[in-house]
């Protein structure tokens, strides 16, 4: 018999062809296997029928660990007798099926790590050691199919040693496209801040020593540059904050190993699993009692973002120093994508760092580290889904009849292609507020369309008319000759939840800082009923004034003043706090005057209420990064108890917040800040949950979910979950996409997919 087999999924760049080769030879079959331009694999075998069937069974069951088979299509026919052996053929360019994709970057495997440390091994101490099971993938591939000439490894012709391994079916590097060694592969080198090379025998370990001594070093990795420094010294971190104009925003760190992480942070089993997985995300961990790293790493926060080394270079940095961890922050100038090219790095980072640790391998696509957090020791919340995940799809339990592209909103943008029963999310793009990030979004989106061989039939974007993503949506839709669908921000959040759990309807609580309402309102504390056709706003937080508009977002004292002014005289208090406003007393007086006249701009944002409480409690007076006052409030509430025990104040469909803010204000000095912060968060969670449960019961809906950036708050989420479950309803939370704005492009695509079906 002859069988022609097509395999789709993640089957390129994961050792799938070598595996097919070995399996075919084992079953005495003749024929060939080859990669295709649509990221799938094509196999033709001839032999006895039962052997072919066993072969197919083995393909499904014994596939390499990183391979994912979505579909295996088999056509049997008469044997033609055209083969003398089984071969891996040159790849075909043909593109026919869609939905296959290349793998994400994969952390160094145990075998490679062992060889790195073995003095007898050819790749002993070699920083770019990889094999079919590990190494960069997404970031090295310029085009499909995944063959060396289509990757940035084409700049490094293999030496005879590597070539032999590459051609040896018994070798772990058989057809490994990133195979390289010290003779033929990429080289690392150290330079000063001007790019002048410094002659050292061991540039990587020298860079490690420089870091430990307190220098700032830019390090080129898989998906871009990191800016690194020590974690036990405060001086270099202070200097880094000054030159990066990053006053408070936490820096991620890379720790030597898991044991070391446990010396300064609390690591649960789920967190340990995530830290050591091949994704190696940054995991937000609670600082332990005896946290001894610099307080400047994550100032005012109870947790710290930690990752473990994921390349040989990272491991080597730690070899000759005692430093437990290094600061490893993405090298991106404010509002710009992560730096990936050497010349760009010199230009943009030269004034920030003391040294560069370069290598001469080009990065095809930039990709930031992923960020995750674990709630209640069990639930993984993705905050940023990027390196290690992208471009592997999220698998859905339904089938979208239309192929839809979603472009997200303004902050934490990723794009998303909904194709059949899969959603392909791009790497993290960032805040699309200027031309550089917009270009990055467009380029990454086009690349994702090509990679997945998708025929886009609709483009989805936000309701906001001025977002760059909205403009890009119209541009792409015109080019692709398809309609644009505008989706309300919180509708997208809740639809994402629905799709992840394959629900037909849901009552969703969506809380964050800001989303454009259908009439241009500032939404952000919403309860929506949502089904596959539409949504309805069935509840929300009380609308509160924003004195000074956007300024109230940056200076939460303004929010506090606006809310308190409704029921109490705050002149004296606000004047006493005027040193926390950039223009002092004059500004405080102006705010009071505005409040007397009445403030038109209002918001139902949950984030803004949390901000106001944060300012009243003296936890945070200025937002220097997105979510800062609310994040610091969560940290301040750790270990607190509900001393205020406020009863939910619900008027009609509105959760009141004025009385809450006033109660906190009145209780100042009578209770610990920790307990007041805890009480305030408890009130918001309880009231939202109560109203959502009432609405769900009225409507006969079984599922209540929680989405939006506020859902990263562990206390608020846990309380909502408890109340929903106590009332016999099912609580749902995001599993595969971020609860924050990194999940909205997926939600938009889902809404467009539902509606246009
Ligand atoms: Zn390996
Ligand atoms: Zn070599």
């Amino acid at each position: 018999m002859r069988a022609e087999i097509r395999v789709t999924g993640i089957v390129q760049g994961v050792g799938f062809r070598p595996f097919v080769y070995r399996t075919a030879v084992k079953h005495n079959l003749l024929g060939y296997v080859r990669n295709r331009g649509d990221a799938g694999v094509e196999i033709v075998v001839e032999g006895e029928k039962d052997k072919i069937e066993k072969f197919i069974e083995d393909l499904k069951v014994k596939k390499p660990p990183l391979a994912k088979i979505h579909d295996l299509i088999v056509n049997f026919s008469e044997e033609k007798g055209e083969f003398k052996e089984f071969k891996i053929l040159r790849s075909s360019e043909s593109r026919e099926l869609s939905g296959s994709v290349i793998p994400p970057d994969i952390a160094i495997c145990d075998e490679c790590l062992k060889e790195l440390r073995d003095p007898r091994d050819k790749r002993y101490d070699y920083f770019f050691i990889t094999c079919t099971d590990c190494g960069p993938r997404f970031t090295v591939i310029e085009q499909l199919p995944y063959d060396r000439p289509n990757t940035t490894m084409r700049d490094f012709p293999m030496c005879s040693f590597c070539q032999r391994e590459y051609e040896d079916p018994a070798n772990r590097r058989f057809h490994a496209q990133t195979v390289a060694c010290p003779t033929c592969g990429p080289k690392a080198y150290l330079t000063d801040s001007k790019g002048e090379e410094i002659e050292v025998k061991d540039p990587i370990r020298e860079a490690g020593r420089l870091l430990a001594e307190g220098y700032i070093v830019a390090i080129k990795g898989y998906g871009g540059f990191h800016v690194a420094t020590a974690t036990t010294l405060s001086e270099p971190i202070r200097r880094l904050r000054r030159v990066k104009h990053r006053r408070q925003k936490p820096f991620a760190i890379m720790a030597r190993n898991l044991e070391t992480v446990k010396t300064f942070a609390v690591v649960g089993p789920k967190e340990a699993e995530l830290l050591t997985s091949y994704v190696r995300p940054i995991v937000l961990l609670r600082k332990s009692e005896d946290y001894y790293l610099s307080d400047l790493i994550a100032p005012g926060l109870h947790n710290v973002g930690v990752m473990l080394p994921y390349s040989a270079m990272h491991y080597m940095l730690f070899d000759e120093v005692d430093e437990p961890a290094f600061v490893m922050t993405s090298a991106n100038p404010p509002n710009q994508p992560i730096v990936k090219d050497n010349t760009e790095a010199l230009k943009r980072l030269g004034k920030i760092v003391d040294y560069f640790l370069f290598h001469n391998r080009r990065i095809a696509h930039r990709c930031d580290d992923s960020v995750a957090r674990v709630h209640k020791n069990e639930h993984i919340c993705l905050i940023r889904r990027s390196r290690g995940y992208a471009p592997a799809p999220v698998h859905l339990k339904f089938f979208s009849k239309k192929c839809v592209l979603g472009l997200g909103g303004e902050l934490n943008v990723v794009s998303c292609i909904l194709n059949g029963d899969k959603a392909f999310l791009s790497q993290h793009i960032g805040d699309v507020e200027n031309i550089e990030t917009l270009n990055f979004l467009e380029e990454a989106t086009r690349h994702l369309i090509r990679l997945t061989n998708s025929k886009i039939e609709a483009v989805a974007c936000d309701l906001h008319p001025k977002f760059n993503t909205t403009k890009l949506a119209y541009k792409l839709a015109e080019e692709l000759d398809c309609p644009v669908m505008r989706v309300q921000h919180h509708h997208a959040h809740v639809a994402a939840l629905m799709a992840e759990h394959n629900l037909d309807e849901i009552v969703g609580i969506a809380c964050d800082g800001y989303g454009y309402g259908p009439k241009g309102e500032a939404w952000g504390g919403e309860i929506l009923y949502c089904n596959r056709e539409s949504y309805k706003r069935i509840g929300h937080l009380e609308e509160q004034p924003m004195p000074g508009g956007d300024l109230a977002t940056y200076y939460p004292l303004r929010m506090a003043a606006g809310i308190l002014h409704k029921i109490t005289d705050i002149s004296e208090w606000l004047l006493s706090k005027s040193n926390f406003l950039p223009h002092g007393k004059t500004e405080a007086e102006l705010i009071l005057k505005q409040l007397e006249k009445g403030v038109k701009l209002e918001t139902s944002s949950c984030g803004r209420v949390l901000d106001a409480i944060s300012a009243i409690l003296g936890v945070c007076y200025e937002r220097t990064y997105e979510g800062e006052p609310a994040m610091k409030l969560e940290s301040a509430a750790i270990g607190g108890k509900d001393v205020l025990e406020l009863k939910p104040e619900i008027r009609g469909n509105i959760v009141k917040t004025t009385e809450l803010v006033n109660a906190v204000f009145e209780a100042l000095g009578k209770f610990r800040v920790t307990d007041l912060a805890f009480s305030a968060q408890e009130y918001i969670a309880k009231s939202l949950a109560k109203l959502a449960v009432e609405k769900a019961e009225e409507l006969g809906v079984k599922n209540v979910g929680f989405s939006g950036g506020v859902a990263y708050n562990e206390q608020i989420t846990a309380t909502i979950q408890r109340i929903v479950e106590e009332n016999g309803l099912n609580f749902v939370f995001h599993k595969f996409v971020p609860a924050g704005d990194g999940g909205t492009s997926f939600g938009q695509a889902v809404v467009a997919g539902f509606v246009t079906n």
Side-chain angles (χ1 to χ4, degrees), residues 514 520-522 543-553 558-559 562 566 594-595 598-604 608:
Y514 169 77
E521 313 94 311
E543 270 131 359
Q544 296 292 7
M546 297 180 75
D550 242 12
L551 276 179
T553 307
R558 286 174 169 265
M559 279 309 299
K566 290 171 149 185
Q594 282 173 338
L595 289 172
V599 173
K600 280 206 197 74
L601 203 65
E602 293 195 319
T603 179
S604 56
R608 295 297 87 82

Side-chain angles (χ1 to χ4, degrees), residues 71-143:
D71 246 329
L72 207 141
I73 307 158
V74 188
N75 275 314
F76 281 103
S77 59
E78 286 293 303
E79 184 172 330
K80 291 185 186 164
E82 60 178 302
F83 306 116
K84 289 195 184 71
E85 58 190 335
F86 193 90
K87 267 185 165 172
I88 296 184
L89 287 193
R90 176 190 271 279
S91 301
S92 120
E93 301 288 324
S94 29
R95 298 152 64 92
E96 189 181 332
L97 302 177
S98 72
S100 289
V101 79
I102 49 154
D105 287 4
I106 290 149
I108 183 170
C109 72
D110 292 344
E111 289 295 309
C112 285
L113 201 52
K114 225 182 287 163
E115 289 171 352
L116 176 76
R117 302 307 194 188
D118 179 0
R120 291 159 307 176
D121 195 276
K122 169 91 172 157
R123 296 184 187 84
Y124 174 60
D125 265 2
Y126 182 51
F127 83 102
F128 193 67
I129 179 169
T130 65
C131 71
T132 40
D133 294 331
C134 75
R137 296 289 186 275
F138 175 66
T139 57
V140 295
I141 298 171
E142 295 177 305
Q143 58 184 18

